[in-house]
Amino acid sequence: MSVQDSAFRGFANPVDPSPAELRAWAYEPDSVPLHTMPKDWDLLVSGDRLITTLFDLAMDQSCPARRFALHCLYIYAADGIRTKFQAHPKRRLRKLVEQAERNGDEQMVIWAHNTRMLQARPELFDYRDWCEGGLVRQARRLG
C-alpha cells in the first residue's frame, strides 16, 4: 500500500511535518485545509528538509496539492537566491532546476526559467510573485 492509498490522519507537528506526512497530506489536502494550518505554513515548510518532497509533488500533475508545492518551490528559490545561498545550498537548487528543465511539464519549466532569471537579475524579485503565489496563480516567464 502506498502513502496515497492510506488515509491521512493529520500532522504530529504541523510546524515541522515529516516528508511522509507532507506527501500524505498533499494527496488528501482537504483532510487538513490550508486555512487551518499555522500562519505562514508555506514559509515554514519551504526549507531544505522538505524541498525534495515538495519538488516531487510539484512534478506530479495528478497531485491535488501540486500548486501549493510549486508555490513552495518559488519561496525556496527566492530565499536561496536572495540570501546569496546562505539559506539553501546553491548546488541543490541548481539540481532541482536542471531536473525541472529535463523532465518537467510547462509549469515546472517556467519555474526553472524564472529561477534562472532571478539568479541572473535579482532585481526581478517581487514578494507577491515569489512568496505569495503570484507566479503560480498567473504563470508567466520573467524576462
Side-chain angles (χ1 to χ4, degrees), residues 41-130:
W41 190 61
D42 53 349
L43 301 175
L44 293 171
V45 300
S46 297
D48 290 321
R49 190 166 96 83
L50 296 172
I51 197 60
T52 303
T53 303
L54 289 163
F55 183 83
D56 291 344
L57 296 170
M59 289 286 282
D60 182 356
Q61 295 179 32
S62 69
C63 178
R66 181 180 192 217
R67 285 172 53 98
F68 175 80
L70 182 58
H71 165 61
C72 291
L73 289 179
Y74 273 103
I75 292 170
Y76 183 85
D79 195 29
I81 293 165
R82 296 199 61 214
T83 63
K84 296 181 174 40
F85 297 100
Q86 292 188 27
H88 309 298
K90 185 176 188 176
R91 183 173 185 232
R92 178 174 288 151
L93 182 60
R94 186 188 76 239
K95 285 184 173 192
L96 295 173
V97 166
E98 289 170 355
Q99 187 175 350
E101 289 169 338
R102 271 193 319 272
N103 304 318
D105 67 353
E106 183 66 14
Q107 288 184 37
M108 291 302 292
V109 170
I110 289 172
W111 170 78
H113 167 83
N114 289 343
T115 298
R116 287 193 186 275
M117 289 301 297
L118 183 64
Q119 195 166 358
R121 296 180 42 210
E123 70 274 10
L124 292 175
F125 177 78
D126 176 85
Y127 188 84
R128 285 182 308 251
D129 281 344
W130 288 86

Side-chain angles (χ1 to χ4, degrees), residues 8 11 17-27 41 45 50 53-54 57 68:
F8 179 63
F11 297 100
S18 71
E21 287 176 328
L22 184 62
R23 184 176 301 282
W25 169 81
Y27 288 94
W41 190 61
V45 300
L50 296 172
T53 303
L54 289 163
L57 296 170
F68 175 80

Side-chain angles (χ1 to χ4, degrees), residues 19-39:
E21 287 176 328
L22 184 62
R23 184 176 301 282
W25 169 81
Y27 288 94
E28 280 188 63
D30 293 338
S31 63
V32 182
L34 274 176
H35 73 274
T36 67
M37 298 307 290
K39 183 175 172 26

